[in-house]
Amino acid sequence: MRETRFEHAVELRNFMFDGCLISAFVEWWRPETHTFHLSWGETSITLQDVAYHIGLRTADESVGGCNRDFQLWHQHPTWEWVENLLGAMPPSQKWGGKQVFAVRMMWLRDQVAHISDGAASETLRQYIQCYLMMLIGGFLFTDKSATIVPLRWLSLLEDFD
């Protein structure tokens, strides 16, 4: 994790949500101005606020990736690349008969659930890559369901430098 310079994000895993506080903020949110209307005035959450509270660096290059045509974008057969980086082939994801370029959070959790003592460095690297995909998809760039992680973030795991 130190090699990825991401070890501080491990603390995110025990993050607790306060449902009452979230409900209160939903009531105070004004979508027309993208601000919260509190008793002392309007306020908004900035990227700097988020970075401060969860300890993320914002001074490096931005991240992104493609949502489709992985073989054209990354010059890798998509699912072979997934297997190489994560150490196993996830079950195929299809919605409405179409291929979905994502892995399920439960599958990632199962991959990292049992790290054997004395595992080879390549195996440990694959565990870390699965764990980072969980952090990315479950905390940093989550969708509404927080059940899948798009493969667009896979390129971030290829080269830790």
Side-chain angles (χ1 to χ4, degrees):
M1 289 297 283
R2 255 183 254 112
E3 184 181 341
T4 67
R5 297 180 317 195
F6 216 75
E7 68 272 11
H8 60 279
V10 173
E11 298 169 10
L12 295 175
R13 72 171 180 223
N14 293 325
F15 187 79
M16 299 297 292
F17 289 97
D18 183 340
C20 294
L21 182 61
I22 292 172
S23 294
F25 275 113
V26 167
E27 290 178 17
W28 295 329
W29 179 251
R30 298 293 181 261
E32 60 275 1
T33 59
H34 300 287
T35 58
F36 292 101
H37 287 253
L38 306 173
S39 59
W40 57 85
E42 289 184 32
T43 188
S44 185
I45 298 173
T46 66
L47 178 59
Q48 183 179 12
D49 296 329
V50 173
Y52 174 79
H53 286 290
I54 61 177
L56 296 176
R57 294 185 323 270
T58 58
D60 292 333
E61 296 179 35
S62 61
V63 296
C66 68
N67 288 323
R68 64 189 117 218
D69 299 329
F70 279 79
Q71 289 182 196
L72 296 175
W73 187 268
H74 296 289
Q75 292 78 42
H76 295 285
T78 304
W79 296 105
E80 288 178 22
W81 193 32
V82 171
E83 185 175 19
N84 184 40
L85 289 176
L86 303 182
M89 180 69 74
S92 177
Q93 302 296 318
K94 291 189 179 194
W95 287 332
K98 292 185 178 180
Q99 175 74 46
V100 176
F101 291 100
V103 293
R104 292 202 175 275
M105 287 290 285
M106 289 303 294
W107 182 83
L108 289 168
R109 283 188 192 115
D110 291 345
Q111 292 303 110
V112 299
H114 306 288
I115 300 175
S116 59
D117 291 335
S121 62
E122 182 59 30
T123 303
L124 289 175
R125 186 178 198 81
Q126 290 168 337
Y127 279 117
I128 294 295
Q129 288 165 321
C130 284
Y131 187 74
L132 288 173
M133 280 293 276
M134 286 174 42
L135 286 176
I136 289 168
F139 297 102
L140 301 176
F141 301 112
T142 187
D143 65 355
K144 290 180 183 179
S145 69
T147 60
I148 63 167
V149 183
L151 295 183
R152 68 184 299 176
W153 307 117
L154 200 62
S155 62
L156 300 174
L157 305 178
E158 189 171 39
D159 181 9
F160 290 158
D161 292 329

